[in-house]
Amino acid sequence: MSRTFDVVIVGAGPAGMSAAVVLSEQGLQVLVVDEQPAPGGQIWRAVETIAHTATGDILGAEYKSGAELVQRFRACGAKYEPNTQMWKIEPGWTVFIKSNGVAEAVGARQVLLATGAQERPAPFPGWTLPGVLTVGAAQILLKTSRQIPAEPVWVVGSGPLPLLYMAQLIRAGGKVAGWLDTTPPGGWRRALPWASSMVAEFKEVSKGLAWLHEIRRSGARRIKGVKELRALGDGRLEQLQFRLKSGELCTVPASVLLSHEGVIPSIHITQSLGCKHSWSAQQRCLVPDLDEWGETDQSGIFVAGDGAGIGGAKAACVRGELAAIGMAKRAGRMAADEVAKNTDALSRRLQTLLRLRPMLDSMYPPRESIYTPSDETVVCRCEELTAGDIRKACAIAQPGVNQLKAFTRAGMGPCQGRQCGYTIASIVAAEQQKAVEDVGFYRIRPPLKPITLGELASLDVEEK
């Protein structure tokens, strides 16, 4: 093993950068590895190059605010290695990374996972057609390439992100052909128990209202209560078919469809390490069990940012700082009174930043139909398996999700279950009349990212 660090941070988004700054201030040697070519994560992707351009103005003040943290991160002294993938972690802790065709085993006294969230997979017939992509993917194109679709786009889904992207798209000169709003009815009624939080955080609520105003002013159609969505076309998207709440079936021409049904914590790495997770009934996803500093039940493994629970960029920064304090405490670099003082202040700040989260979770719960796709719907894109294929396999011998993986290869493709895991588990649960949390999740095994034989051969096995 050629290199050893006090802390290895995986991910250079808001949480990873914030943690690196605090840890470096405490004198710890820190390595930050990140798949992306520049720091910022998804929320502040490419912020260094476009924050002060016209595109930065289009993306808004919240996006541009990330430039200051990136600058502090660059100057903090942590070793930063972009375009680098982490593909395995072994107890000890040894972090296996790869970059430019070369793999390496790096020693770490502690590890911080700051890998953020992913868009919730929401399969529907035709979602694999060219021309259909997620809202997050479209936003990446806007941030990194300053590109917007040439044709008017259809947006389907629920949650704050579609609102934000549509507003950004309109500012950039794009057009929204229509917004198929799949939010379950009664959202504001469900939010009433948190009315006091809405009043206290009205500045945050008003951002969403402002986005809605921009969308309405553009003349974009909003169609509520959409069900039974299908993307149709020969070789690429040509039409959308959906059913209105009145029962009427509509078919419209379409060349681009952007889909989004909320975000969920990225748990792939914590699952592979055997960390304990709990089931969120509200958002129907797994969340790692963490202490007040973000440490898992695996000593020395910490999680910060949206991977610890969805909270947004500001909350991710605070969680990163809390994790750094916990790691500095564990390394004996911070006195007990200083730890207590900083932890208390940051915990109060985090509670404030998360005050709206229960309201948002209530307003935008995942739709039941996401987890009950029709038989012809492809649910495992890597292996091209449909929901019908999974249901047939379920009838063989009442298999669990991991036996089903062996039967069908679902979850064995390049995404390793990131895109199909929850859907498969939900289908199995429905077929066996069990709760999804009782069915469980795929066992995740390394390599966590595809790795070539050449990269494996480059490992210095003897030194390890």
Side-chain angles (χ1 to χ4, degrees), residues 5-9 19-20 23-24 28-32 77-80:
F5 294 86
D6 293 316
V7 176
V8 171
I9 298 175
L23 289 166
S24 297
L28 281 84
Q29 291 199 324
V30 180
L31 169 66
V32 181
K79 187 168 183 58
Y80 167 57

Side-chain angles (χ1 to χ4, degrees), residues 219-283:
R221 286 188 289 167
R222 179 183 184 183
I223 305 172
K224 296 182 180 181
V226 168
K227 299 178 181 178
E228 300 177 25
L229 175 71
R230 291 173 178 268
L232 307 173
D234 184 9
R236 65 158 294 107
L237 176 66
E238 295 171 346
Q239 292 179 320
L240 294 179
Q241 189 178 84
F242 52 90
R243 194 173 297 279
L244 302 177
K245 57 184 176 183
S246 65
E248 180 186 354
L249 190 65
C250 295
T251 302
V252 295
S255 58
V256 180
L257 173 65
L258 308 180
S259 171
H260 179 85
E261 294 288 350
V263 293
I264 53 177
S266 175
I267 59 164
H268 224 59
I269 304 174
T270 47
Q271 282 285 100
S272 74
L273 292 171
C275 299
K276 188 177 179 182
H277 295 72
S278 292
W279 180 255
S280 167
Q282 184 74 50
Q283 284 296 303

